Amino acid sequence: MSELSAGRGRSPRPPGGATRENLGFLLAKAVQRWNELLYERFVAAGYPDVRPSYGSILVPLFEEDGLRMGELAARARLSKQTMTTMVRLLERDGLVERRADPSDGRASLVFLSERAHDFRPVAEATLAELDRLVVRTLSARSCTELRKALRSLADL
């Protein structure tokens, strides 16, 4: 049987074109699945209103609480406009609070709420569990290489 008849009249396409083998498509689907796994675990832990996208704000604040909006936007790699929208959503859900910056009245600082502090162990346990799952799937060495590759891709 020829390649054309095996592929129903189509010749095989190289990876990277407009196919499900495209790197961007695969990255998007991996992120989608990761977020599904996060959300399932957040719901099971009693935090159904914490969206996986909130990690863009919460993770930098877990590292250093009380950041200015501009600094938080830079660490989250989000535009200032997107940051403002995201912070409003997290405020609405009781995860962060904005306070005036005592050194500059025009600026505000973003702090984790008590609820976010309560959520932190859930987030950390969930992320550790998913990291273990990835290591079991890929190997520790591959995970180290993947982390390095993803950092490089984030800098494109």
Side-chain angles (χ1 to χ4, degrees), residues 89-107:
L89 290 172
L90 273 81
E91 280 180 310
R92 178 199 69 196
D93 291 340
L95 294 164
V96 299
E97 36 190 72
R98 279 188 273 190
R99 301 180 200 153
D101 184 340
S103 66
D104 181 354
R106 299 168 296 167

Side-chain angles (χ1 to χ4, degrees), residues 88-151:
R88 284 183 183 142
L89 290 172
L90 273 81
E91 280 180 310
R92 178 199 69 196
D93 291 340
L95 294 164
V96 299
E97 36 190 72
R98 279 188 273 190
R99 301 180 200 153
D101 184 340
S103 66
D104 181 354
R106 299 168 296 167
S108 62
L109 302 174
V110 181
F111 287 89
L112 295 167
S113 68
E114 185 175 328
R115 184 164 184 270
H117 285 290
D118 292 343
F119 173 70
R120 183 177 184 159
V122 171
E124 289 176 342
T126 299
L127 291 171
E129 176 192 351
L130 293 181
D131 278 357
R132 288 189 299 273
L133 178 61
V134 173
V135 167
R136 281 196 312 269
T137 303
L138 299 179
S139 82
R141 181 177 177 190
S142 292
C143 285
T144 299
E145 292 172 5
L146 178 59
R147 244 183 223 96
K148 183 179 175 182
L150 290 172
R151 277 192 222 101

Side-chain angles (χ1 to χ4, degrees), residues 4-93:
L4 288 176
S5 61
R8 295 189 206 123
R10 294 176 290 221
S11 59
R13 293 184 179 179
T19 70
R20 287 176 289 150
E21 292 301 309
N22 173 273
L23 186 56
F25 182 86
L26 291 170
L27 282 168
K29 295 297 116 186
V31 167
Q32 181 180 359
R33 182 63 184 139
W34 186 267
N35 286 339
E36 290 168 353
L37 294 170
L38 284 172
Y39 187 68
E40 288 169 6
R41 284 153 177 83
F42 294 167
V43 168
Y47 290 89
D49 56 328
V50 178
R51 301 176 190 181
S53 62
Y54 289 0
S56 291
I57 309 304
L58 294 174
V59 169
L61 291 173
F62 288 157
E63 292 176 342
E64 183 180 352
D65 202 6
L67 295 172
R68 280 188 177 192
M69 293 281 282
E71 179 60 26
L72 185 54
R75 292 183 189 194
R77 294 178 167 240
L78 296 172
S79 71
K80 288 180 183 178
Q81 295 82 4
T82 300
M83 179 57 56
T84 299
T85 300
M86 291 294 295
V87 167
R88 284 183 183 142
L89 290 172
L90 273 81
E91 280 180 310
R92 178 199 69 196
D93 291 340

